[in-house]
Amino acid sequence: MLDKKTLTHLERLEAESIHILREVVSEAEKPVMLYSVGKDSAVMLHLARKAFYPSPPPFPLLHVDTTWKFRAMYELRNRMARESGMELLVYQNPEAKDRGINPFDHGPLHTDMWKTEGLKQALNLYGFDAAFGGARRDEEKSRAKERIFSFRTASHGWDPKNQRPELWNLYNARKNKGESIRVFPISNWTELDIWQYIHLNDVPIVPLYFADKRPTVERDGMLLMVDDDRFPLQPGEEPVMRSIRFRTLGCYPLTGAVESEARTLPEVIQETLLTTTSERQGRAIDKDAGGAGMEKKKQEGYF
Amino acid sequence: MPAHDGTTEQNDGTDDMTDTVADPIYKTDALIAQDIDQYLKVHEHKTMLRFITCGSVDDGKSTLIGRLLYDSKMIFEDQLEALQSDSRKVGTQGHEIDFALLVDGLAAEREQGITIDVAYRFFATEKRKFIVADTPGHEQYTRNMVTGASTADLAVILIDARKGVLTQTRRHSYLAHLIGIQNIVLAVNKMDLVDYDQATFEAIVEDYTAFAKSIGITAFTAMPISGFKGDNITTLSANTPWYQGPSLIEHLETVEVNSATDADKPFRMPVQWVNRPNLDFRGFSGLIATGSVRPGDSVRVLPSGKTSSVSRIVTLNGDLEQAVAGQSVTLCFADEIDCSRGDVIALADSPPQAADQFEATIVWMADEEMLPGRAYWLKIGTQTVTATIQQPKYQVNVNTMEHLAAKTLDLNAIGVANLSTDKQIVFEPYADNRTLGGFILIDKISNATVAAGMLHFSLRRAQNVHWQATDVSRDFHARLKNQRPAVLWFTGLSGAGKSTIANLVEKKLARMNRHTFLLDGDNVRHGLNKDLGFTDADRVENIRRVGEVAKLMTDAGLIVITAFISPFRSERDMVRQMMQPGEFFEVHIDTPLAEAEARDVKGLYKKARAGELKNFTGIDSPYEPPHDPEMRIDTTAMTADEAADAIVARLIP
């Protein structure tokens, strides 16, 4: 071990992410970590704990909540905040709350108000000037071109043609008052890297990633889990127990499950590798506007 | 090297894409299905290679990357379906799959059919994970290629076999070499369109060899490929029996990565962050740039030069016995010595140097041209200082490698210039150490990253010109005169009343027995600055010199009054930085343009309006009013004498 010189790809990725986290803490005035409780957030949080150990990460966790996440996600969220010794801020857009915006009746407005608007409101409310996000470049085409330090105007807009060049590992975190930076420490990780890292480091994740018998209904070709009694069943619909798991986690009425028997991490990875559809396929968000859905959302301020 | 098996690659011209997908290099499905634990073990020990692909618009770059992703099964069925429908709609390959669509991400690019920014792609084989920076070939996007190359271990330079070595090929090779990429692959693409002709390939290689030598590239690997058809990408192709290998993937899997060579160099770690959870723990966090470190090693902290030894290498998973280049760690020392962000921890008996004057290569990346003499932020490793660049010694024509005379650098220009920093930085030449030799320049007003640079060496005069310690100190000078030194920096439009008010202020101070000196814009231009004109660059240098003179005078204990238009915020801020805290008073003589023009004491506005005077502030050259001056004098609301009284009252309460 002592004369080992070439780092493995995971060691290099980890070192890069830690470097990014520390640069932001050193140069930003008021950073925050956006915590969505998914597997990518789990890895990002773990990296933050490594970066500042033995100190707790010197910034709070921010969960932009839609009130429609899986119950298991809320449980893990609260547990991880306790274990990491970090402050947990939960923000729910009051307007969306008042108007009772929900994924069943309001379609795209649900994501727009709870998530896009909610995020902007939260960042403005607390005055954060740098926000860590768990986006990866391999997720989606417009992500592939986003910088690790992604500069946002005072109105949170993103201009893909006017990004700062990013050389070596020198990041420019300077900005004027009111402007902010979104930072993506795990930009260069792939889905497989994330799984492998969770496996090697025993990173706690939501149990919904593993297969189990769960109540489901099939709707528009998607398998949805009936996570609580707010799920309005249509006439003739009856929840069926199926062995399912989730490849990504969001609002439970919007997140499609896959039928699976993978109950352990290696089995999940096995299935992921042998699967023939991409990770975001279970999500509706990428398909608006002729393939440019995510790019458009990002210009509007979506993470 | 795998045996060349012609039977698996019957190329009958039907372009069935599935024939190369089942290639043995990627055939991991069986292992994944049968023994996932074993597969994970293999994956765990993979290394990582970062490379860039460079080519002109039609060299087939995006197609090659699309092919690599496709062959390594990074494309899923749903994406493939979208790709097939897109290929029919907007593809440029008729009814066939247009791989380029896989990687052309942004909507604007789709419409124009070109790649306009740096995009990063990921794929893996059995041996390695790869990160590909896809960089555009257009001349105006030099900055994107330099950006993509800065993190790369290797560059794939694509040539269209039908066209041979082009201007763009030379430019890409020069840039890759400039950034210090040691591993260069010359991929002669579209071999299918020249009937896999060996002579064509060899002529191109010969041509390239001669060019490569001329710019200092000593070794490269050439291979004939077809990104579109898949020849020599993963295995050797039956269409080129005269080519002995390696295939592109084989080469990428085996070439040595940068971090391996970095580990052999002396230990250096820029300090990012000081970790102090409580009074008992003090750790220094950073990414190891070069070398390795173990507990017990003697280290030196630079620039202070203090030494200690490493007591622990702390991580969440327990202390380490050793850490190497490329790892992010936290070090503890045996002794309590000063060490903070920006310092460099180095091997005690082989430390890097510190200096404040350098020669460097600069790649300009902003629309607004470089202003020699202007103060920019310079970030190198974890150090951020103020730097000024001198007029370039020369600019490089990236197409012909000729050295051209240049007064400045504009977007995508590459030049060599001297630069100086306001304090010493710990550095090494870029050729030896990318982390301690590579820097970015940041505009102080817009905060944009305006340039990238590579330090060559420190200037001899920086090493040999030391500060002469004098026995009569600046404090003593000031005490002798019974006053606090200060700079009253008047700024405002021509004709605003700066000189008039400055003159009154000096008279009033003289009557109070204060020792003063008035530096007037017009007067200085008769002597010290008579070589300077009125371009933006000359205005910047004018102010820099006046600032330096004013600084010497405050060292002598004087109260300096300056009356210069000094139109740019960044130069006024630069002068502010030169002075001791609390000694700089920015006084904005605020007269509206219409009022100043109406007065027109010297008749200059009239001349400027008539077009007889170029670069006149307020007319065809900008004036940037101070955001937060120590004093603002509204000349429409008070007389010159009242203004002078107010200023004196502010200086001597």
Side-chain angles (χ1 to χ4, degrees):
Chain A
M1 275 305 275
L2 278 184
D3 49 13
K4 184 189 84 158
K5 276 186 202 150
T6 308
L7 302 176
T8 69
H9 71 297
L10 284 175
E11 286 170 326
R12 270 180 84 176
L13 289 171
E14 180 187 72
E16 178 187 70
S17 301
I18 290 175
H19 174 78
I20 293 163
L21 288 156
R22 289 170 175 169
E23 277 302 287
V24 173
V25 162
S26 302
E27 298 215 336
E29 281 165 37
K30 200 173 175 190
V32 67
M33 177 169 282
L34 294 202
Y35 182 59
S36 74
V37 210
K39 64 183 192 310
D40 299 323
S41 273
V43 167
M44 183 167 65
L45 173 59
H46 188 80
L47 290 165
R49 296 176 74 182
K50 276 198 160 179
F52 303 101
Y53 177 86
S55 297
F59 42 79
L61 293 171
L62 172 65
H63 183 218
V64 179
D65 189 19
T66 65
T67 70
W68 289 96
K69 302 293 174 187
F70 292 90
R71 279 175 300 162
M73 293 171 73
Y74 293 116
E75 280 163 32
L76 184 77
R77 179 193 74 187
N78 297 341
R79 187 189 125 200
M80 291 316 294
R82 265 198 317 277
E83 282 184 14
S84 62
M86 297 165 76
E87 184 188 2
L88 172 68
L89 306 170
V90 176
Y91 187 85
Q92 300 171 345
N93 179 355
E95 196 194 339
K97 214 168 172 179
D98 287 349
R99 289 172 58 186
I101 302 296
N102 68 74
F104 298 107
D105 303 323
H106 300 104
L109 189 65
H110 169 78
T111 306
D112 186 53
M113 287 201 61
W114 284 111
K115 292 179 81 175
T116 311
E117 278 306 310
L119 173 63
K120 285 193 224 172
Q121 288 172 4
L123 295 179
N124 289 341
L125 175 70
Y126 293 104
F128 294 121
D129 64 337
F132 295 111
R136 309 187 321 264
R137 284 172 172 156
D138 79 324
E139 277 178 275
E140 200 271 335
K141 273 192 264 185
S142 79
R143 293 268 196 225
K145 310 208 163 183
E146 185 152 8
R147 303 289 188 261
I148 290 173
F149 279 49
S150 183
F151 185 76
R152 300 301 161 102
T153 60
S155 57
H156 301 283
W158 180 60
D159 178 3
K161 289 215 178 118
N162 197 17
Q163 301 194 80
R164 292 175 177 175
E166 222 161 55
L167 293 111
W168 299 289
N169 55 10
L170 287 176
Y171 302 105
N172 174 3
R174 290 185 177 269
K175 60 211 165 307
N176 288 317
K177 252 262 123 348
E179 296 167 344
S180 61
I181 301 183
R182 310 273 172 98
V183 183
F184 305 105
I186 56 169
S187 284
N188 286 326
W189 296 56
T190 62
E191 187 182 8
L192 179 57
D193 297 329
I194 293 286
W195 283 123
Q196 178 98 39
Y197 191 80
I198 290 169
H199 179 53
L200 284 173
N201 290 276
D202 291 321
V203 178
I205 53 170
V206 182
L208 294 167
Y209 284 113
F210 305 108
D212 206 344
K213 289 253 191 268
R214 297 184 173 103
T216 60
V217 296
E218 199 176 334
R219 220 178 250 186
D220 305 328
M222 289 220 293
L223 267 185
L224 298 177
M225 174 175 163
V226 184
D227 193 47
D228 60 38
D229 50 19
R230 290 182 296 173
F231 195 105
L233 293 171
Q234 283 160 12
E237 257 182 359
E238 185 72 33
V240 179
M241 294 301 281
R242 290 186 175 93
S243 180
I244 56 157
R245 66 177 185 87
F246 292 87
R247 296 181 61 194
T248 62
L249 292 174
C251 293
Y252 80 80
L254 291 175
T255 311
V258 289
E259 290 204 69
S260 166
E261 297 296 332
R263 284 160 199 278
T264 66
L265 207 43
E267 284 168 6
V268 169
I269 298 174
Q270 185 172 35
E271 241 181 46
T272 305
L273 288 171
L274 296 176
T275 193
T276 53
T277 56
S278 70
E279 189 183 13
R280 295 195 73 88
Q281 196 224 9
R283 293 199 188 182
I285 200 166
D286 295 346
K287 289 175 189 156
D288 316 352
M294 180 64 89
E295 186 184 347
K296 203 166 150 284
K297 284 220 151 40
K298 281 155 64 67
Q299 285 173 6
E300 289 160 4
Y302 183 78
F303 223 75
Chain B
M1 200 162 298
H4 190 253
D5 184 356
T7 56
T8 58
E9 284 235 7
Q10 289 166 354
N11 211 311
D12 57 6
T14 55
D15 306 315
D16 182 359
M17 300 312 306
T18 53
D19 58 356
T20 42
V21 177
D23 196 277
I25 298 273
Y26 296 120
K27 210 183 252 172
T28 53
D29 285 10
L31 182 61
I32 293 167
Q34 284 155 21
D35 191 350
I36 183 67
D37 293 324
Q38 179 56 31
Y39 173 81
L40 289 176
K41 266 218 160 55
V42 172
H43 183 74
E44 186 188 327
H45 293 106
K46 277 178 194 172
T47 53
M48 185 159 96
L49 180 87
R50 299 186 68 142
F51 68 96
I52 57 166
T53 52
C54 342
S56 324
V57 189
D58 299 317
D59 288 343
K61 213 170 4 107
S62 295
T63 305
L64 175 67
I65 296 172
R67 156 73 66 176
L68 292 171
L69 301 185
Y70 185 89
D71 283 2
S72 67
K73 307 203 73 177
M74 296 305 285
I75 295 163
F76 296 103
E77 250 171 37
D78 53 325
Q79 291 173 324
L80 191 60
E81 268 170 40
L83 176 64
Q84 277 161 343
S85 88
D86 280 0
S87 296
R88 281 191 295 274
K89 265 189 289 181
V90 284
T92 57
Q93 303 295 334
H95 65 284
E96 302 192 50
I97 291 181
D98 186 351
F99 286 108
L101 293 177
L102 271 176
V103 291
D104 284 352
L106 300 179
E109 299 176 2
R110 284 194 169 198
E111 286 150 23
Q112 295 169 28
I114 50 159
T115 317
I116 53 171
D117 204 286
V118 191
Y120 297 90
R121 310 287 165 191
F122 308 84
F123 69 100
T125 65
E126 300 262 274
K127 294 193 181 114
R128 268 191 176 158
K129 166 174 171 157
F130 297 96
I131 301 181
V132 193
D134 183 8
T135 57
H138 302 49
E139 179 160 27
Q140 62 266 45
Y141 294 117
T142 290
R143 86 171 165 191
N144 294 336
M145 191 190 141
V146 169
T147 302
S150 71
T151 50
D153 301 284
L154 176 146
V156 176
I157 294 183
L158 278 158
I159 287 191
D160 184 332
R162 295 169 302 173
K163 295 179 184 161
V165 176
L166 298 179
T167 300
Q168 288 95 318
T169 317
R170 287 190 276 271
R171 178 162 71 232
H172 300 148
S173 304
Y174 169 72
L175 292 176
H177 184 61
L178 181 79
I179 287 292
I181 294 177
Q182 302 290 329
N183 298 302
I184 291 187
V185 172
L186 185 73
V188 181
N189 194 20
K190 303 196 181 182
M191 285 302 292
D192 52 315
L193 298 182
V194 295
D195 298 322
Y196 301 100
D197 180 43
Q198 181 177 7
T200 305
F201 173 74
E202 281 171 359
I204 291 172
V205 173
E206 195 178 328
D207 209 8
Y208 187 79
T209 308
F211 162 73
K213 236 185 224 157
S214 75
I215 63 165
I217 296 175
T218 49
F220 64 92
T221 307
M223 52 188 72
I225 64 162
S226 166
F228 183 53
K229 304 276 183 184
D231 298 288
N232 294 322
I233 303 295
T234 54
T235 50
L236 295 185
S237 167
N239 295 317
T240 52
W242 43 266
Y243 177 65
Q244 302 306 309
S247 72
L248 179 58
I249 286 291
E250 278 179 281
H251 184 68
L252 295 177
E253 278 183 329
T254 48
V255 73
E256 189 175 38
V257 298
N258 287 347
S259 64
T261 36
D262 282 344
D264 291 328
K265 297 173 182 171
F267 174 70
R268 274 111 180 75
M269 186 184 94
V271 176
Q272 269 190 294
W273 191 70
V274 179
N275 194 336
R276 287 210 85 164
N278 54 56
L279 290 176
D280 302 325
F281 187 92
R282 193 152 165 264
F284 306 98
S285 302
L287 178 67
I288 300 174
T290 55
S292 61
V293 65
R294 295 179 200 213
D297 282 359
S298 292
V299 288
R300 192 181 294 269
V301 175
L302 297 156
S304 75
K306 300 248 166 58
T307 57
S308 183
S309 64
V310 174
S311 59
R312 296 173 61 193
I313 305 172
V314 180
T315 77
L316 177 73
N317 304 89
D319 285 8
L320 300 181
E321 280 301 300
Q322 186 194 30
V324 297
Q327 275 180 292
S328 282
V329 293
T330 297
L331 304 180
C332 295
F333 293 156
D335 313 277
E336 280 242 350
I337 55 171
D338 275 346
C339 184
S340 54
R341 177 171 169 87
D343 290 347
V344 175
I345 302 172
L347 189 66
D349 51 18
S350 150
Q353 292 188 341
D356 58 7
Q357 294 188 58
F358 307 91
E359 185 191 273
T361 295
I362 291 164
V363 183
W364 199 255
M365 299 186 161
D367 290 325
E368 195 185 323
E369 66 182 22
M370 174 176 106
L371 281 184
R374 167 163 287 188
Y376 297 98
W377 293 117
L378 179 149
K379 186 172 181 187
I380 180 166
T382 58
Q383 308 168 89
T384 302
V385 296
T386 294
T388 53
I389 326 285
Q390 291 183 14
Q391 187 171 309
K393 296 177 176 178
Y394 58 85
Q395 180 180 337
V396 178
N397 177 328
V398 291
N399 296 327
T400 60
M401 317 312 142
E402 276 175 299
H403 292 183
L404 310 170
K407 290 206 150 153
T408 178
L409 296 174
D410 52 14
L411 179 63
N412 291 312
I414 297 174
V416 169
N418 287 348
L419 62 90
S420 55
T421 55
D422 67 337
K423 45 181 180 239
Q424 296 221 325
I425 52 175
V426 182
F427 82 102
E428 284 187 299
Y430 181 79
D432 299 340
N433 189 328
R434 285 192 187 195
T435 306
L436 291 183
F439 62 88
I440 55 172
L441 295 177
I442 300 167
D443 186 277
K444 287 196 167 187
I445 303 293
S446 71
N447 293 317
T449 302
V450 292
M454 288 145 283
L455 296 178
H456 299 173
F457 45 77
S458 63
L459 300 178
R460 203 171 279 274
R461 63 173 180 269
Q463 284 163 1
N464 292 339
V465 180
H466 298 282
W467 281 107
Q468 187 62 46
T470 48
D471 291 334
V472 181
S473 68
R474 102 187 275 287
D475 277 353
F476 192 88
H477 283 299
R479 276 206 306 278
L480 209 59
K481 295 181 182 66
N482 197 23
Q483 65 184 23
R484 273 194 59 202
V487 174
L488 289 170
W489 188 277
F490 287 36
T491 172
L493 294 169
S494 174
K498 296 183 298 296
S499 296
T500 309
I501 299 172
N503 195 41
L504 286 169
V505 168
E506 188 174 36
K507 279 205 289 200
K508 286 174 194 289
L509 288 171
R511 265 185 242 128
M512 297 164 76
N513 288 324
R514 294 303 197 277
H515 299 254
T516 60
F517 194 84
L518 173 60
L519 283 165
D520 183 84
D522 286 343
N523 296 353
V524 170
R525 280 185 178 275
H526 285 301
L528 176 64
N529 291 353
K530 72 175 170 192
D531 56 328
L532 300 176
F534 289 90
T535 62
D536 284 359
D538 280 355
R539 284 173 188 276
V540 168
E541 175 61 13
N542 183 41
I543 297 306
R544 188 192 69 80
R545 290 186 198 172
V546 171
E548 292 289 356
V549 171
K551 185 183 164 197
L552 289 172
M553 288 183 169
T554 58
D555 285 347
L558 293 174
I559 295 169
V560 187
I561 305 159
T562 71
F564 294 82
I565 298 172
S566 45
F568 304 128
R569 259 174 231 129
S570 26
E571 279 63 59
R572 296 194 301 264
D573 283 347
M574 171 178 76
V575 177
R576 181 187 291 276
Q577 302 294 331
M578 289 178 189
M579 306 304 164
Q580 299 291 318
E583 291 186 2
F584 186 81
F585 295 79
E586 189 173 16
V587 183
H588 183 197
I589 307 298
D590 194 0
T591 303
L593 179 62
E595 173 70 22
E597 191 169 352
R599 291 180 199 160
D600 205 4
V601 189
K602 300 174 201 160
L604 296 174
Y605 282 97
K606 207 171 155 203
K607 278 195 197 167
R609 289 290 183 197
E612 292 163 31
L613 260 182
K614 287 275 166 240
N615 301 317
F616 194 76
T617 301
I619 307 294
D620 59 347
S621 185
Y623 179 78
E624 301 169 354
H627 287 313
D628 197 14
E630 273 72 11
M631 283 197 87
R632 196 181 76 87
I633 300 296
D634 180 354
T635 62
T636 61
M638 60 177 98
T639 65
D641 201 55
E642 288 164 352
D645 281 338
I647 294 166
V648 171
R650 171 72 209 269
L651 183 69
I652 303 163

mmCIF file of all heavy atoms in Angstrom, chain B residues 18 29 76 86 108 148 170 212 231 236 253 340 386 425 435 472 538 587 634:
data_model
loop_
_atom_site.group_PDB
_atom_site.id
_atom_site.type_symbol
_atom_site.label_atom_id
_atom_site.label_comp_id
_atom_site.label_asym_id
_atom_site.label_seq_id
_atom_site.Cartn_x
_atom_site.Cartn_y
_atom_site.Cartn_z
ATOM 1 N N THR B 18 -24.790 -2.690 -34.720
ATOM 2 C CA THR B 18 -24.703 -3.642 -33.624
ATOM 3 C C THR B 18 -23.426 -4.475 -33.683
ATOM 4 O O THR B 18 -23.034 -5.054 -32.685
ATOM 5 C CB THR B 18 -25.902 -4.593 -33.625
ATOM 6 O OG1 THR B 18 -26.002 -5.175 -34.913
ATOM 7 C CG2 THR B 18 -27.182 -3.865 -33.269
ATOM 8 N N ASP B 29 -21.291 -7.676 -19.530
ATOM 9 C CA ASP B 29 -22.617 -8.074 -19.074
ATOM 10 C C ASP B 29 -22.626 -9.452 -18.424
ATOM 11 O O ASP B 29 -23.301 -9.674 -17.425
ATOM 12 C CB ASP B 29 -23.617 -8.061 -20.243
ATOM 13 C CG ASP B 29 -23.987 -6.627 -20.601
ATOM 14 O OD1 ASP B 29 -23.324 -5.717 -20.065
ATOM 15 O OD2 ASP B 29 -24.922 -6.444 -21.383
ATOM 16 N N PHE B 76 -28.810 4.393 -23.320
ATOM 17 C CA PHE B 76 -29.902 3.493 -22.986
ATOM 18 C C PHE B 76 -30.966 3.485 -24.075
ATOM 19 O O PHE B 76 -30.972 4.339 -24.961
ATOM 20 C CB PHE B 76 -30.513 3.905 -21.651
ATOM 21 C CG PHE B 76 -29.561 3.767 -20.508
ATOM 22 C CD1 PHE B 76 -28.947 4.887 -19.968
ATOM 23 C CD2 PHE B 76 -29.264 2.528 -19.975
ATOM 24 C CE1 PHE B 76 -28.064 4.758 -18.913
ATOM 25 C CE2 PHE B 76 -28.393 2.400 -18.918
ATOM 26 C CZ PHE B 76 -27.787 3.523 -18.384
ATOM 27 N N ASP B 86 -34.614 11.790 -33.597
ATOM 28 C CA ASP B 86 -33.897 13.042 -33.865
ATOM 29 C C ASP B 86 -33.081 12.951 -35.150
ATOM 30 O O ASP B 86 -32.996 13.906 -35.915
ATOM 31 C CB ASP B 86 -32.938 13.373 -32.703
ATOM 32 C CG ASP B 86 -33.671 14.013 -31.539
ATOM 33 O OD1 ASP B 86 -34.904 14.195 -31.650
ATOM 34 O OD2 ASP B 86 -33.017 14.313 -30.528
ATOM 35 N N ALA B 108 -29.460 25.830 -28.706
ATOM 36 C CA ALA B 108 -28.893 26.711 -29.721
ATOM 37 C C ALA B 108 -27.979 25.930 -30.656
ATOM 38 O O ALA B 108 -27.939 26.158 -31.862
ATOM 39 C CB ALA B 108 -28.111 27.838 -29.059
ATOM 40 N N GLY B 148 -10.844 23.095 -21.643
ATOM 41 C CA GLY B 148 -10.974 21.634 -21.658
ATOM 42 C C GLY B 148 -9.631 20.949 -21.478
ATOM 43 O O GLY B 148 -9.522 19.928 -20.796
ATOM 44 N N ARG B 170 -2.971 22.450 -36.649
ATOM 45 C CA ARG B 170 -1.781 23.068 -36.065
ATOM 46 C C ARG B 170 -2.150 23.850 -34.811
ATOM 47 O O ARG B 170 -1.467 23.787 -33.793
ATOM 48 C CB ARG B 170 -1.118 23.990 -37.096
ATOM 49 C CG ARG B 170 -0.406 23.213 -38.198
ATOM 50 C CD ARG B 170 0.442 24.138 -39.056
ATOM 51 N NE ARG B 170 -0.353 24.781 -40.097
ATOM 52 C CZ ARG B 170 -0.558 24.256 -41.300
ATOM 53 N NH1 ARG B 170 -0.008 23.099 -41.618
ATOM 54 N NH2 ARG B 170 -1.293 24.889 -42.184
ATOM 55 N N ALA B 212 4.926 18.797 -35.875
ATOM 56 C CA ALA B 212 4.996 18.553 -34.432
ATOM 57 C C ALA B 212 6.384 18.880 -33.899
ATOM 58 O O ALA B 212 6.537 19.519 -32.859
ATOM 59 C CB ALA B 212 4.610 17.110 -34.130
ATOM 60 N N ASP B 231 -14.107 1.808 -37.143
ATOM 61 C CA ASP B 231 -12.825 1.140 -37.408
ATOM 62 C C ASP B 231 -11.740 1.563 -36.420
ATOM 63 O O ASP B 231 -11.524 2.761 -36.206
ATOM 64 C CB ASP B 231 -12.342 1.471 -38.830
ATOM 65 C CG ASP B 231 -13.308 0.960 -39.884
ATOM 66 O OD1 ASP B 231 -13.353 -0.255 -40.081
ATOM 67 O OD2 ASP B 231 -14.035 1.802 -40.472
ATOM 68 N N LEU B 236 -8.881 -3.740 -33.644
ATOM 69 C CA LEU B 236 -8.302 -3.425 -34.944
ATOM 70 C C LEU B 236 -9.277 -3.816 -36.041
ATOM 71 O O LEU B 236 -9.976 -4.821 -35.948
ATOM 72 C CB LEU B 236 -6.971 -4.155 -35.099
ATOM 73 C CG LEU B 236 -5.908 -3.677 -34.108
ATOM 74 C CD1 LEU B 236 -4.577 -4.357 -34.386
ATOM 75 C CD2 LEU B 236 -5.754 -2.160 -34.154
ATOM 76 N N GLU B 253 -6.621 3.073 -22.613
ATOM 77 C CA GLU B 253 -6.654 2.265 -21.392
ATOM 78 C C GLU B 253 -5.290 2.085 -20.748
ATOM 79 O O GLU B 253 -5.197 1.760 -19.576
ATOM 80 C CB GLU B 253 -7.205 0.866 -21.723
ATOM 81 C CG GLU B 253 -8.716 0.806 -21.775
ATOM 82 C CD GLU B 253 -9.197 -0.611 -22.031
ATOM 83 O OE1 GLU B 253 -8.489 -1.380 -22.711
ATOM 84 O OE2 GLU B 253 -10.284 -0.944 -21.540
ATOM 85 N N SER B 340 -1.969 29.455 7.136
ATOM 86 C CA SER B 340 -3.363 29.772 6.813
ATOM 87 C C SER B 340 -3.610 29.606 5.321
ATOM 88 O O SER B 340 -2.695 29.272 4.570
ATOM 89 C CB SER B 340 -3.711 31.185 7.277
ATOM 90 O OG SER B 340 -2.788 32.099 6.737
ATOM 91 N N THR B 386 -3.289 40.762 -6.000
ATOM 92 C CA THR B 386 -3.511 41.736 -7.067
ATOM 93 C C THR B 386 -2.321 41.695 -8.015
ATOM 94 O O THR B 386 -1.178 41.688 -7.568
ATOM 95 C CB THR B 386 -3.664 43.147 -6.468
ATOM 96 O OG1 THR B 386 -4.862 43.181 -5.704
ATOM 97 C CG2 THR B 386 -3.749 44.193 -7.564
ATOM 98 N N ILE B 425 4.149 35.580 -4.142
ATOM 99 C CA ILE B 425 3.388 34.340 -4.195
ATOM 100 C C ILE B 425 4.341 33.155 -4.287
ATOM 101 O O ILE B 425 5.431 33.254 -4.848
ATOM 102 C CB ILE B 425 2.383 34.312 -5.373
ATOM 103 C CG1 ILE B 425 3.061 34.646 -6.696
ATOM 104 C CG2 ILE B 425 1.218 35.249 -5.124
ATOM 105 C CD1 ILE B 425 2.127 34.517 -7.897
ATOM 106 N N THR B 435 -0.258 23.121 -10.592
ATOM 107 C CA THR B 435 -0.988 23.790 -9.513
ATOM 108 C C THR B 435 -0.311 25.091 -9.086
ATOM 109 O O THR B 435 -0.984 26.084 -8.835
ATOM 110 C CB THR B 435 -1.089 22.856 -8.290
ATOM 111 O OG1 THR B 435 -1.654 21.630 -8.725
ATOM 112 C CG2 THR B 435 -1.959 23.460 -7.208
ATOM 113 N N VAL B 472 15.697 55.395 9.301
ATOM 114 C CA VAL B 472 14.692 56.423 9.564
ATOM 115 C C VAL B 472 13.378 55.931 8.969
ATOM 116 O O VAL B 472 13.211 55.876 7.759
ATOM 117 C CB VAL B 472 15.109 57.784 8.953
ATOM 118 C CG1 VAL B 472 14.055 58.846 9.257
ATOM 119 C CG2 VAL B 472 16.474 58.206 9.485
ATOM 120 N N ASP B 538 -2.853 53.736 -21.628
ATOM 121 C CA ASP B 538 -1.956 54.783 -21.148
ATOM 122 C C ASP B 538 -2.520 55.472 -19.907
ATOM 123 O O ASP B 538 -1.784 55.850 -18.998
ATOM 124 C CB ASP B 538 -1.708 55.811 -22.262
ATOM 125 C CG ASP B 538 -0.668 55.300 -23.261
ATOM 126 O OD1 ASP B 538 -0.103 54.215 -23.013
ATOM 127 O OD2 ASP B 538 -0.429 55.975 -24.279
ATOM 128 N N VAL B 587 -11.772 61.743 -3.142
ATOM 129 C CA VAL B 587 -12.648 62.917 -3.132
ATOM 130 C C VAL B 587 -13.241 63.065 -4.533
ATOM 131 O O VAL B 587 -12.517 63.344 -5.494
ATOM 132 C CB VAL B 587 -11.859 64.185 -2.738
ATOM 133 C CG1 VAL B 587 -12.820 65.372 -2.669
ATOM 134 C CG2 VAL B 587 -11.137 63.980 -1.409
ATOM 135 N N ASP B 634 -20.220 68.429 -4.281
ATOM 136 C CA ASP B 634 -21.153 68.842 -5.329
ATOM 137 C C ASP B 634 -20.862 70.295 -5.680
ATOM 138 O O ASP B 634 -21.226 71.222 -4.947
ATOM 139 C CB ASP B 634 -22.591 68.670 -4.812
ATOM 140 C CG ASP B 634 -23.620 69.075 -5.856
ATOM 141 O OD1 ASP B 634 -23.215 69.595 -6.924
ATOM 142 O OD2 ASP B 634 -24.818 68.851 -5.603
#
